[in-house]
Amino acid sequence: MSDRRASTARFRPRIGVHAFTLLVALFIVAVDNREFWQQLDAAAHLTEISNWPFAIAVAVFLVAALSFLMSLFAWRYLYKPFVIGLLLIASVVAYFMTTYGVVIDDTMLANTVETDSAEAAGLFSLALVWHLLITGVLPVVIVLWVRLDYRPFWRALAWRLVFALIMLGVAGGAIGAQYKSFSLVLRQNRDLRMFINPTYAIYSASQFLTRSAEAENIPLKHIGQDATRTSAAGSRARRKILIVVVGETTRAANWGLNGYERDTTPELAVRGVLNFGDAHSCGTSTSVSVPCMFSPLTRKNYDEYEARHSENLLDVLARAGVAVHWQENQAGGCKGVCERVPTENMRARRIEGVCDADHCLDEVFLHGLSASLDDGKGDLVIVMHTMGSHGPAYYERYPKDFAVFGPECRSNRPADCSRAELVNSYDNTVRYVDHIVASLIDKLKTRADAADTALIYLSDHGESLGENGLYLHGFPYMVAPSEQTHIPMVAWLSPGFMRDSGLAPACLARATGERVSQDNLFDTVLGLMDVQATVYDPAEDLFANCRQAGANGQKPAD
């Protein structure tokens, strides 16, 4: 038995802890940081011979800095598990960064935590498995195979201190040797740090966990406790019905009503909608934008944890006596917005031809809508959280009849398709969004004899389709491209709604030319539904000025 162990040991190379640390750090910097090097090359033109010294200095700095951090965990029985975890994290992060051009920050981690298995499966592919095997599992096997030479505790501690000081010195020396280049490049490209793998992802995870733990003890903040109906609500003979459609991942750049080269919105074009061509999101992910748009907070002062532990627009409406219903077709849910109002999971309907085991097409919102509109006699707000243009499997978001643009990209990996195919599939999702919203308007029109009806549609955020190597969404807002923040937004008001609300059509048309955002939703809905409260800000109500104009004698025409 001892002979077999000795024979096996001869085939397991021995290596010192510090040499092992340097090799692992070198592997991570060279293999798992491809996206960082591409971003740095775009910022500093590393391929030019004159910039090679800077590139070498950056590489030396990263290896030395990572080696220093790793050395802090280089204790017997702890180090190998730590390195294995580091390699696997770096491999996963590298795949999603290089495949989709995303940054793994605390917002992206929040989206990941709130994603269900069906949505997560949409990101699975053989390419992911292959990548993990080559850059994750294989290095882990090598780590398990080699034997590390550990010194006695006190000698090991002394050598570890020396090694750490040397790594700090090398890292500082690398910066000093190319200080001018470091300062210029990093000052002008502060987002580069977000691409350093895996340190930024680990830092973001610690931030996410810390804030989540702190948020557990935050009590619910009540707002709009003085909310009541205005005198206009009491003088109306007809009820008001408003549908708020929260879109998903649809961007303004591909919105036909905004002048896109393709007619992706032919049905809305003949519905007489108000199209806000300069509309912008609060965030670049659902977990930020949805709570933000229903909060009285604006994007500039928005705090995710404050919003998650505060009442929102739906609470104020309900407190004022408006019936509120939330209908959910998103795997990630309403992000806490609908927790205190009646909510229906539309996927539970399992309508044949519309739903499968994992998700429903947005046509599901049209089924049973007539009954919802006729349920009750008071004012009603229905919020519909749609699947919209959710990627990366865009082809799953629309039925075959809406495959207007082809050939399609029928893959969940953008790299598997040409950009033309990817855009074709995405444009088909926009065409289907157009159909769903137009169909909802048609349903509301059928209630014109009994109710004043209106609809607001706005996407939660946009989407990157390969511009500058970026895909999907979730990029940090301060450096996010306009494709992820410029969103489509439309409103439709029935003639009766405009008349009874004192809204002047000419004034409404002029309002569409202004820059608007999701900040406006909170106050605009309160204004449309005749709700007054101290939390209401008329300056953020898109139609406040037009309501005053209508009340001052500019009588809206049918």
Side-chain angles (χ1 to χ4, degrees), residues 317-525:
L317 289 170
R319 184 169 291 123
V322 178
V324 180
H325 297 283
W326 184 285
Q327 296 181 342
E328 182 63 60
N329 196 31
Q330 270 281 341
C334 68
K335 312 304 179 185
V337 174
C338 64
E339 286 182 352
R340 294 169 296 279
V341 300
T343 302
E344 180 183 3
N345 179 2
M346 305 303 282
R347 295 187 296 168
R349 292 189 174 188
R350 294 288 187 263
I351 299 172
E352 186 176 355
V354 177
C355 304
D356 59 23
D358 296 325
H359 70 277
C360 295
L361 296 171
D362 284 332
E363 185 184 336
V364 69
F365 289 105
L366 301 174
H367 291 263
L369 178 58
S370 296
S372 298
L373 297 178
D374 296 335
D375 184 16
K377 296 182 179 180
D379 291 348
L380 171 66
V381 172
I382 301 176
V383 182
M384 299 177 175
H385 193 193
T386 66
M387 281 295 284
S389 303
H390 195 288
Y394 303 116
Y395 67 96
E396 294 182 348
R397 304 298 168 237
Y398 52 89
K400 293 180 180 179
D401 292 345
F402 282 84
V404 179
F405 307 106
E408 306 166 84
C409 175
R410 301 191 66 80
S411 171
N412 63 0
R413 295 185 71 249
D416 292 341
C417 307
S418 67
R419 187 170 187 276
E421 292 171 335
L422 188 68
V423 172
N424 287 341
S425 293
Y426 184 83
D427 284 350
N428 288 334
T429 69
V430 180
R431 179 65 184 82
Y432 188 56
V433 168
D434 167 70
H435 171 71
I436 296 301
V437 177
S439 299
L440 291 171
I441 291 174
D442 291 344
K443 286 279 190 180
L444 289 175
K445 286 181 177 179
T446 64
R447 299 299 185 275
D449 293 338
D452 294 337
T453 56
L455 177 145
I456 295 176
Y457 165 82
L458 72 170
S459 183
D460 60 350
H461 51 75
E463 186 84 325
S464 289
L465 297 175
E467 298 86 4
N468 300 312
L470 300 181
Y471 295 92
L472 302 182
H473 52 268
F475 220 67
Y477 201 95
M478 63 179 179
V479 292
S482 62
E483 290 84 4
Q484 295 189 25
T485 60
H486 189 191
I487 58 171
M489 179 176 177
V490 300
W492 174 86
L493 309 174
S494 70
F497 199 108
M498 287 190 286
R499 180 183 59 249
D500 291 342
S501 299
L503 294 170
C507 179
L508 294 176
R510 289 194 298 271
T512 61
E514 301 174 359
R515 179 185 173 93
V516 301
S517 73
Q518 291 172 345
D519 295 347
N520 301 113
L521 182 68
F522 183 93
D523 301 286
T524 299
V525 171

Side-chain angles (χ1 to χ4, degrees), residues 71-94:
S71 69
L72 302 178
F73 299 88
W75 301 96
R76 188 189 298 265
Y77 307 120
L78 171 64
Y79 198 34
K80 275 196 173 184
F82 169 77
V83 170
I84 289 171
L86 197 68
L87 287 168
L88 292 176
I89 291 172
S91 178
V92 172
V93 170

Side-chain angles (χ1 to χ4, degrees), residues 141-159:
V141 170
I142 295 174
V143 167
L144 292 173
W145 178 47
V146 300
R147 291 188 297 166
L148 298 182
D149 281 333
Y150 289 101
R151 294 181 172 90
F153 178 81
W154 291 110
R155 287 182 59 192
L157 183 61
W159 276 104

Side-chain angles (χ1 to χ4, degrees), residues 293-346:
M293 72 173 75
F294 287 93
S295 165
L297 302 174
T298 63
R299 189 190 70 78
K300 291 183 178 179
N301 64 9
Y302 178 73
D303 181 272
E304 179 181 356
Y305 290 89
E306 179 182 349
R308 290 291 184 101
H309 295 83
S310 173
E311 291 183 332
N312 56 61
L313 171 62
L314 307 187
D315 298 292
V316 179
L317 289 170
R319 184 169 291 123
V322 178
V324 180
H325 297 283
W326 184 285
Q327 296 181 342
E328 182 63 60
N329 196 31
Q330 270 281 341
C334 68
K335 312 304 179 185
V337 174
C338 64
E339 286 182 352
R340 294 169 296 279
V341 300
T343 302
E344 180 183 3
N345 179 2
M346 305 303 282

